[in-house]
Amino acid sequence: MDFSAGEEQWRARLGTLRQVVRQEVVSRQLVAHLPDLPSRRVLDVGCGQGTQALRLARRGHLVTGLDASARLLDDFRASLDEEPVEVGDRVRLIQGDVEQLAGMFAPSSFDVVLCQGVLMYFPDPGPLLDAVGQVLAPGGIVSLLVRNGDALAMRPGLLGDWGSVERAFEGESYLNRIGVHARADRLEDLTAALAEREMCVRQWYGVRVFTDTVASDAALPDAETLDAILRSEERAGRTDPYRRVAALLHLIAERR
């Protein structure tokens, strides 16, 4: 499970409908738990090109971005170059392996930890969850975005890929759209794993309920249609039973 094998595909698809829906819906869900004031110390684990981290820096938060990819961090820096100086001053970028997270920062260094689209590339998420809990301050929040293991058969089923459907019912791994074998998490299991580390799930959402099966290279529609899509995705993501069959789960947990 190595994200670097699919990095070029990831970069090429950042402006597509599926990716824009993911980033925008996650951002809207997060803002409800992270107001602009007071300013928080934020760590984005596996920040990549920095979509979420940059949005938080614009809102006044102090952001540290950690990623192993020099190319994606360069993309992040290029975006920062287009921002006002005060936004760039709030961002610190570090190239490093997220597996070394616990040794890179002092305990309780951050008020917020983002770990979005990262756990799926770890066969055992336990050590990374341990590290997240260690660097997160008491009362701080963690935002986890994971592949939904309870709905792993939905995408291949809707696409008519029946062989993949049968495998999805029995397992927890899948071949993702950037060509990398990855792992899914079940809501109940991940909630329990967080609780064992004194992080209590306060809210959870679904992400990409309706748009997960669109083509990987599908371009953005007109502004009015995109707005309607985002409103629908946002509502479905907080509403049962829709959120339970979303492609991705977004968990907001608080450290006791």
Side-chain angles (χ1 to χ4, degrees), residues 1-3 5 10 13 18-19 22 116-123 145-157 159 161 163-186 207-208 212 216 246-249:
M1 297 181 183
D2 183 5
F3 171 80
W10 170 263
R13 297 173 180 176
R18 293 176 78 255
Q19 288 301 323
R22 165 186 159 160
Q116 299 175 350
V118 176
L119 283 186
M120 57 192 66
Y121 297 107
F122 285 79
L145 186 70
V146 302
R147 187 72 162 90
N148 183 6
D150 291 320
L152 203 53
M154 285 297 295
R155 181 196 297 166
L159 293 174
D161 181 0
S164 294
V165 168
E166 292 181 359
R167 289 190 294 273
F169 279 134
E170 303 301 327
E172 61 176 21
S173 64
Y174 67 104
L175 182 66
N176 64 20
R177 289 284 190 100
I178 60 173
V180 178
H181 286 280
R183 187 188 55 79
D185 286 285
R186 298 183 184 277
V207 177
R208 271 203 324 243
D212 192 54
S216 297
L248 303 167
L249 297 177

